[in-house]
Each structure stands twice: as structure tokens, then as C-alpha cells.
Amino acid sequence: KQKTAYEIRPRDWSSDVCSSDLPVFVATKAIFGGLWRRIGAFPQLPDPAVSRTIVGLAAICHQAEDAASMAIHALDLGDYSMAVSLFKRALRALNAALAATATLDAAPVPGGQDFAAAARLRLFDLREICLRVMEECRQESARPLEDEG
């Protein structure tokens, strides 16, 4: 069973990620954790269209979190090309999640606009992490290999 961000203790981190990737791991887990709390706290509504939007948003966020986690593990393995590919997948899901929040802005739902605004902040933070780490991966990949001999 996969642990949630709140179940992971500092002593567990070394088994999940290497120390050089720890800030990326911690930041993504914390931001996704905040997003999941917001999604879980959103009230069930009688409007089926809004309910479908919330469920769809949760599914998209799960895809983004899964891709980001795999990308971090690719970093652990030193596979920067794979990490970039997986972060791109996470970005695609995050962009779809942002589009879903726009639907909530337009819906006459109590708390929908506040929820959408808070979710957007977290989604933009996650996008920024992905973009920055992708750039670092590209720079690392472009660096010439050191001669061992």
C-alpha cells in the first residue's frame, strides 16, 4: 500500500528517494497533500455536472501525482530523459486540472470559486516545480561526461 504524505516520516525518506532529490519529493508530496485535503473536503452536491467535475479533477490530480512520483524515481536512477518525459506527463495532467478548475469558477456552487482559487495556487506551484526540475535535467543531460581514464 502506498503511503500518504502524512504517513511518510523522515526516517522513511531515504528508502523512497535519494537525498539529492529530497526537496522535490517533499515539495510535491506536501502540495499534493494540500490539494487532496481540499478535494476531500469539498461538499457533495446534488448537481451531477459539478460532482463529475470534482471526481474528474481528482482523477487528473492522481495522474499528475503518479507521473511526478515516477519522475522523481527516474531522477534517483539518473535517467534524466525519462524524468523529463514523466514530468511532461505530469504537466499535461496539471494543465487539464487547471482547465477543470475553470469549470468550477463558472458553476453556481457554494464555495466553488474559493475551492478553484486554492486549487489553482497549488497546481501552479506543482507546474513550477516540474518546469524547474525539467530544466535542470536538460542541463545535466547536456553536460559533457567526465573522462574516467
Side-chain angles (χ1 to χ4, degrees):
K1 181 183 179 234
Q2 186 176 1
K3 296 179 182 180
T4 66
Y6 299 106
E7 295 171 327
I8 296 175
R9 294 177 191 83
R11 68 176 180 270
D12 296 332
W13 290 345
S14 62
S15 64
D16 290 336
V17 294
C18 78
S19 60
S20 64
D21 302 323
L22 188 58
V24 174
F25 175 76
V26 171
T28 56
K29 284 294 185 184
I31 295 170
F32 273 116
L35 192 57
W36 288 121
R37 279 193 312 276
R38 296 288 277 177
I39 290 172
F42 200 81
Q44 290 187 343
L45 301 167
D47 184 352
V50 175
S51 295
R52 279 193 301 274
T53 300
I54 296 295
V55 169
L57 178 63
I60 293 166
C61 287
H62 175 71
Q63 292 170 359
E65 184 176 25
D66 192 39
S69 294
M70 288 188 295
I72 292 167
H73 287 293
L75 290 174
D76 288 345
L77 298 171
D79 191 344
Y80 300 115
S81 297
M82 178 59 77
V84 168
S85 174
L86 290 164
F87 277 124
K88 281 183 179 180
R89 186 179 298 172
L91 277 172
R92 187 172 39 247
L94 292 169
N95 288 336
L98 284 166
T101 63
T103 303
L104 289 173
D105 274 335
V109 176
Q113 291 179 341
D114 292 338
F115 170 82
R120 264 194 300 279
L121 288 175
R122 288 170 176 85
L123 293 168
F124 278 119
D125 286 345
L126 289 164
R127 286 185 82 248
E128 184 66 26
I129 289 170
C130 290
L131 291 169
R132 286 182 184 213
V133 175
M134 284 171 53
E135 180 59 29
E136 290 175 9
C137 287
R138 289 182 177 125
Q139 290 173 0
E140 188 65 28
S141 293
R143 216 171 61 183
L145 296 174
E146 294 179 11
D147 187 16
E148 293 180 11

